[in-house]
Amino acid sequence: MTNVQPYIPTTKITGIAVGNEVYTTEDEALMSNLVPAMVALHSALVQLSLDSSIYISTANSLAVLENSYPPSLGSFKPELVPLLAPFLQFLDTTKAPFWINAYPYFAYKDDPIRVSLDYVLFNPNSTGMVDPYTNLHYDNMLYAQVDAVTFAIARMGYEGIEVRVSETGWPSKGDGDEIGATMDNARVYNRNLLLRQMENEGTPLKPNQKLDVYLFALFNEDLKPGPTSERNYGLYQPDGTLAYNVGLTTLTSGASISLTSSATLGCREEVGSLWCWILMLALIRMMMMIL
């Protein structure tokens, strides 16, 4: 816990992520050792009397789902059930959330004819969808994806585990076959998402519980391999200049990026500044991904 205890309480650490999308790696040893590693870390938190303020979890890909449509039929892949059962039991026992990396962008890219762009961008739209089994109306895909995970967890016998979005975002640039990866779409998606976050919205299934969302990403990862989109999820370039403006606030010429605890001090005085909101979100995200 040398990466955690020395920084408390100066830094507010609320969670530790153990790995990323482990259950879709096809690495059997890694998958089977994930929960024991989480148990060991939680035991260390207990010894330090930090277990009541810091939770242990792991971020999961939506690929852990066998079915996600409609949301009420959400279920996990059968082959993952034996691995997810002890994981969910751990989350339930320690009151930790289930983290999901959810990207409506991929659904649109793979099927732009049948998937409405307005639906995935949180725009007002006439298509939306109504779950035929719950009569819940969904005006955006992200909330539908989250509720599908909640239903999948419930099918495993756990009703009280909170689902949080550990990653979501939209690329501002892509290759020729990466349909929808444009600066305009990225601006609209992130702007609409942040507006909803500031309204403390919940999903149709849990409207009174604010959906916790972590925006990916603060900076473009210019050295990341893979398709062009993988290097263009950031709101900022690696040198600190804007990749694009989400349109909710204008940064002053003196604004600077400082990933230190002092960066949050000015935010307390500028509660209405989206810039500070994004920066604090990024800081929290970084702290949560220590391990």
Side-chain angles (χ1 to χ4, degrees):
M1 286 294 162
T2 56
N3 291 323
V4 177
Q5 190 179 29
Y7 302 99
I8 296 173
T10 304
T11 300
K12 184 179 181 181
I13 301 176
T14 59
I16 297 173
V18 184
N20 183 55
E21 301 186 351
V22 173
Y23 288 120
T24 48
T25 61
E26 298 184 357
D27 185 326
E28 293 185 6
L30 191 62
M31 290 189 287
S32 61
N33 285 315
L34 179 60
V35 171
M38 295 170 69
V39 170
L41 285 171
H42 183 261
S43 296
L45 290 176
V46 171
Q47 292 177 7
L48 296 171
S49 299
L50 295 174
D51 56 299
S52 62
S53 58
I54 301 177
Y55 53 75
I56 304 290
S57 190
T58 188
N60 298 279
S61 163
L62 271 177
V64 298
L65 294 181
E66 174 75 8
N67 187 57
S68 62
Y69 183 88
S72 61
L73 294 185
S75 61
F76 292 115
K77 290 183 175 178
E79 62 270 25
L80 292 179
V81 168
L83 291 166
L84 290 173
F87 170 57
L88 294 176
Q89 183 177 12
F90 172 83
L91 297 184
D92 185 61
T93 300
T94 62
K95 307 305 177 186
F98 186 106
W99 276 333
I100 191 73
N101 296 339
Y103 289 89
Y105 158 71
F106 290 115
Y108 178 75
K109 178 182 76 73
D110 293 341
D111 196 356
I113 295 178
R114 290 195 298 175
V115 176
S116 165
L117 183 60
D118 283 332
Y119 182 57
V120 295
L121 291 180
F122 296 93
N123 278 333
N125 60 85
S126 58
T127 53
M129 66 89 62
V130 175
D131 189 311
Y133 301 101
T134 62
N135 288 322
L136 293 175
H137 177 257
Y138 292 87
D139 65 358
N140 69 86
M141 181 176 285
L142 180 67
Y143 289 4
Q145 291 174 332
V146 170
D147 280 354
V149 175
T150 301
F151 276 108
I153 293 172
R155 278 192 166 75
M156 295 280 289
Y158 297 94
E159 299 283 351
I161 297 176
E162 181 183 354
V163 177
R164 299 180 183 178
V165 179
S166 42
E167 283 185 21
T168 192
W170 196 285
S172 59
K173 187 186 298 184
D175 295 321
D177 61 345
E178 295 186 293
I179 299 173
T182 68
M183 191 173 294
D184 285 342
N185 286 342
R187 180 186 295 112
V188 171
Y189 181 84
N190 289 325
R191 180 180 187 275
N192 286 342
L193 172 61
L194 293 172
L195 283 171
R196 288 177 180 244
Q197 279 287 286
M198 288 188 285
E199 291 296 324
N200 296 320
E201 273 195 356
T203 68
L205 182 61
K206 298 192 174 182
N208 298 320
Q209 178 179 286
K210 179 191 175 184
L211 176 64
D212 248 4
V213 177
Y214 293 94
L215 186 64
F216 185 87
L218 187 60
F219 295 102
N220 280 335
E221 300 174 275
D222 59 327
L223 300 181
K224 192 173 184 179
T228 297
S229 63
E230 289 295 314
R231 295 180 288 280
N232 289 278
Y233 276 88
L235 301 178
Y236 289 85
Q237 303 289 0
D239 63 3
T241 59
L242 274 173
Y244 59 91
N245 195 324
V246 292
L248 296 183
T249 188
T250 301
L251 301 181
T252 64
S253 58
S256 61
I257 297 173
S258 176
L259 295 180
T260 64
S261 59
S262 63
T264 63
L265 298 179
C267 295
R268 297 192 185 108
E269 300 173 358
E270 300 180 57
V271 178
S273 169
L274 180 65
W275 157 244
C276 287
W277 192 91
I278 293 172
L279 181 54
M280 290 180 71
L281 185 103
L283 286 169
I284 295 170
R285 172 69 171 158
M286 291 177 66
M287 289 185 282
M288 294 178 71
M289 298 301 173
I290 288 173
L291 296 179

